Amino acid sequence: MAKAFRSDPIHVDDRVVARRKFKGGGHSDVIGHVVAVEPLTIRPQMVGGFPSALPEVIIPAVELYVVKKLSPRTVRNSDIRHVEVASALSYQGAHNQWTSNGQWFMRSGDGTTMRTNSAVPLGPSAGFEPAPIAEMMAFYASHNQPCVLLVPERIGNSALKLPHEHIDVEKIVMTRELGDLSDITPYLDEGLDVDITKTATPEWLDISDHAARDLATQSPADATLAFFHTALGAVLRATITESDDGTKWLGIACVKVDESARRQRLAARLVSAALKWGQTEGADKAYLQVSLGNDGAVALYEKLGLLEHHRHRYIKVNPGNL
């Protein structure tokens, strides 16, 4: 089975952990940022995963046992859970139910998008307890749906032990603080005419894709929901929800620019407008999700101060192999 997370190639500046095995026996781990790929050269990190000015460590190929790509900064399991809780509140289905052990949140929506038709591990023990798969399969069978699980790295490890198949590419979850937005000043365009509505307008639906249309029909409880549209030809969906640690999160989704409106930096300008709106509405942090391989979108969001936080992906449980 393919590696669940971070199977993409390692590049310069990536944060990695490399295990080095010595000829005479023993091993050591080096955690830091890649300076060169061949031979693998790593500059050990500072506390928290930040780059340092420490001397480089060159690992000869014969000594390299395994190398694993890490998130750009040190992230705790509880940090991952906080973001996923906020996200789950933004993408509730028409039918929502917790498993009896209180660890998995099951959602069944009216559309086809996996964000509202999957179970996600949100309880603090979900990564350590066996996934209650019989209960989740019964829930989705009652709605005539396959059992699809959203599996965040680390906190969803128990689900990866089930017989399953990957049904979508890995998703990169990116976040940023909203306290100081001075870094996005070049992209804030006060002259950009943006309509912000509580429901999706026909103009918004005309530009958005099928998955976005599904999310437009959902009314998440305990969330501020807003649809951004500019007549120039770009849309996005924004929500504000609160994670279990009290942090208010701005969630950005459904970013779409009409093909006829490309090359006007519309995505950057509209996302910047949403970040400013979220700050004004009292959000502390922001998150969004982007598919692995969409390098252009990742680069754009990095320019807007968003950094990879963790990854998640969707799997479908194969009931015949249980």
Side-chain angles (χ1 to χ4, degrees), residues 13 15 33 48-51 71-75 83 172-177 249 286-288 290 298 300-310:
D13 293 331
R15 191 172 75 98
H33 296 83
F50 289 89
S71 59
R73 299 287 183 267
T74 301
V75 176
V83 179
I172 302 172
V173 182
M174 307 179 73
T175 66
R176 71 157 292 157
E177 302 272 351
W249 289 90
Y287 70 87
L288 53 77
V290 60
V298 171
L300 166 65
Y301 298 141
E302 287 178 341
K303 289 179 181 178
L304 298 179
L306 289 126
L307 188 68
E308 178 178 335
H309 187 272
H310 67 278

Side-chain angles (χ1 to χ4, degrees), residues 153-230:
E153 60 179 325
R154 289 161 38 189
I155 68 170
N157 284 347
S158 62
L160 296 176
K161 299 176 183 178
L162 300 168
H164 66 272
E165 60 180 294
H166 298 161
I167 56 174
D168 199 1
V169 298
E170 197 173 334
K171 305 295 183 183
I172 302 172
V173 182
M174 307 179 73
T175 66
R176 71 157 292 157
E177 302 272 351
L178 293 181
D180 180 7
L181 293 179
S182 59
D183 57 311
I184 66 168
T185 300
Y187 301 96
L188 285 172
D189 183 359
E190 295 183 359
L192 183 65
D193 187 14
V194 180
D195 291 327
I196 305 175
T197 57
K198 293 183 178 179
T199 58
T201 63
E203 293 78 13
W204 192 95
L205 292 170
D206 282 344
I207 297 174
S208 65
D209 58 18
H210 179 69
R213 289 171 179 268
D214 285 351
L215 294 176
T217 64
Q218 304 299 327
S219 299
D222 302 322
T224 299
L225 179 61
F227 295 89
F228 284 60
H229 166 251
T230 172

Side-chain angles (χ1 to χ4, degrees), residues 82-158:
H82 295 328
V83 179
E84 292 294 341
V85 166
S87 178
L89 291 175
S90 298
Y91 307 124
Q92 296 190 54
H95 307 279
N96 305 286
Q97 182 178 320
W98 284 90
T99 54
S100 56
N101 67 353
Q103 300 302 307
W104 286 76
F105 184 56
M106 303 179 290
R107 302 164 292 180
S108 174
D110 294 326
T112 60
T113 179
M114 289 181 290
R115 297 193 196 195
T116 57
N117 289 282
S118 58
V120 56
L122 300 181
S125 301
F128 307 102
E129 298 181 7
I133 190 58
E135 187 176 356
M136 291 191 286
M137 289 183 64
F139 173 84
Y140 286 104
S142 71
H143 296 289
N144 298 311
Q145 292 178 304
C147 184
V148 173
L149 309 181
L150 189 164
V151 182
E153 60 179 325
R154 289 161 38 189
I155 68 170
N157 284 347
S158 62

